Amino acid sequence: MKIHYYSGWFDEALPARYLESLQNDVTNTRSLVLIWGCWGGDELVDFVKDSWLAPGGIVFDEYHLVDNRRTKEEAHRLIKQASVLLLLGGSDLHQAEFFKEYGLETPIRETDATIIMGFSAGAINMPSTCVSFEDGTTTVYEGLGLDNFCYLPYFSLEKHELAKNDYLPLLKEVDVYATAPESFIRTKGTEVAAFGEVYKISDMKMNRF
């Protein structure tokens, strides 16, 4: 059963709770495959490797970045054979377009990887329903469908008040999990675990999760 992590971006080290959870979950360190968020490139591979994972003793034999320099066939192969997938942050809408252009939706859903981590844009695009606020416009669109909800990073109670009349009415049919900075959720099957300040919004009603 696959494990999914959802969070915002962390500019420096991973939060201690996140790293500890990964240390328990990561058992196959053959290949880490990072999927482009349409910003950055090889430097993000080094950042993830050295700043996020190495401090916890999580070292992979191979590190690969899937971006538009790869052929579609090579991208599909790397994703299929990954031990762990990591969806990078960047532009959520452009990343979703990249998934479609390269036909990555099915390979990501059917990957051999037992763990899929999403950060910021990558996490937004992982569940069934996505909401983007890029360019001052609210866009609701279909995601990868790894879990049946919508995910919002960088959340605060103030943002919830603003959201009541903005985008939440567009999400009545799906549960929303929202995390404050430095917080995250972990799913395994239908089980959702909260780490830090996490809220669940269902039918326009919000509760601390």
Side-chain angles (χ1 to χ4, degrees), residues 133-153:
F133 309 106
E134 290 185 3
D135 302 322
T137 301
T138 302
T139 305
V140 178
Y141 59 100
E142 184 177 341
L144 291 170
L146 303 186
D147 291 288
N148 188 29
F149 53 70
C150 177
Y151 173 71
L152 301 176

Side-chain angles (χ1 to χ4, degrees), residues 55-69:
I58 302 173
V59 178
F60 289 84
D61 297 333
E62 300 175 3
Y63 299 82
H64 302 282
L65 175 64
V66 168
D67 61 10
N68 60 5
R69 295 173 295 179

Side-chain angles (χ1 to χ4, degrees), residues 72-90:
K72 293 181 182 180
E73 293 75 18
E74 187 177 22
H76 287 208
R77 177 182 60 80
L78 288 171
I79 290 170
K80 169 64 177 174
Q81 297 175 353
S83 304
V84 175
L85 281 185
L86 191 154
L87 279 60
L88 289 164

Side-chain angles (χ1 to χ4, degrees), residues 11-202:
D11 288 328
E12 297 179 357
L14 289 177
R17 289 171 298 183
Y18 197 124
L19 192 55
E20 181 180 355
S21 184
L22 275 184
Q23 287 169 328
N24 292 326
D25 286 338
V26 175
T27 57
N28 183 341
T29 56
R30 185 182 56 79
S31 172
L32 174 65
V33 174
L34 299 91
I35 301 181
W36 194 39
C38 298
W39 291 348
D42 294 327
E43 71 276 7
L44 287 180
V45 179
D46 292 335
F47 173 78
V48 168
K49 175 183 176 181
D50 298 332
S51 298
W52 281 0
L53 301 179
I58 302 173
V59 178
F60 289 84
D61 297 333
E62 300 175 3
Y63 299 82
H64 302 282
L65 175 64
V66 168
D67 61 10
N68 60 5
R69 295 173 295 179
R70 302 278 186 185
T71 66
K72 293 181 182 180
E73 293 75 18
E74 187 177 22
H76 287 208
R77 177 182 60 80
L78 288 171
I79 290 170
K80 169 64 177 174
Q81 297 175 353
S83 304
V84 175
L85 281 185
L86 191 154
L87 279 60
L88 289 164
S91 166
D92 37 38
L93 291 176
H94 289 165
Q95 186 185 62
E97 291 172 2
F98 174 62
F99 292 163
K100 288 183 172 58
E101 178 186 351
Y102 265 61
L104 300 184
E105 299 98 326
T106 298
I108 291 173
R109 287 193 290 264
E110 297 181 354
T111 178
D112 291 341
T114 56
I115 298 171
I116 302 177
M117 297 181 282
F119 295 89
S120 195
I124 290 169
N125 283 321
M126 282 170 56
S128 58
T129 303
C130 311
V131 59
S132 172
F133 309 106
E134 290 185 3
D135 302 322
T137 301
T138 302
T139 305
V140 178
Y141 59 100
E142 184 177 341
L144 291 170
L146 303 186
D147 291 288
N148 188 29
F149 53 70
C150 177
Y151 173 71
L152 301 176
Y154 315 116
F155 193 75
S156 68
L157 293 178
E158 293 78 9
K159 286 185 178 180
H160 177 254
E161 292 303 313
L162 294 172
K164 284 181 178 178
N165 296 318
D166 184 5
Y167 61 85
L168 285 182
L170 304 174
L171 300 171
K172 282 186 177 180
E173 305 303 318
V174 64
D175 290 339
V176 179
Y177 288 92
T179 60
E182 300 297 311
S183 301
F184 64 98
I185 60 174
R186 172 188 179 275
T187 71
K188 186 174 183 180
T190 58
E191 176 185 342
V192 182
F195 296 81
E197 186 179 347
V198 178
Y199 298 91
K200 182 178 180 180
I201 305 165
S202 184

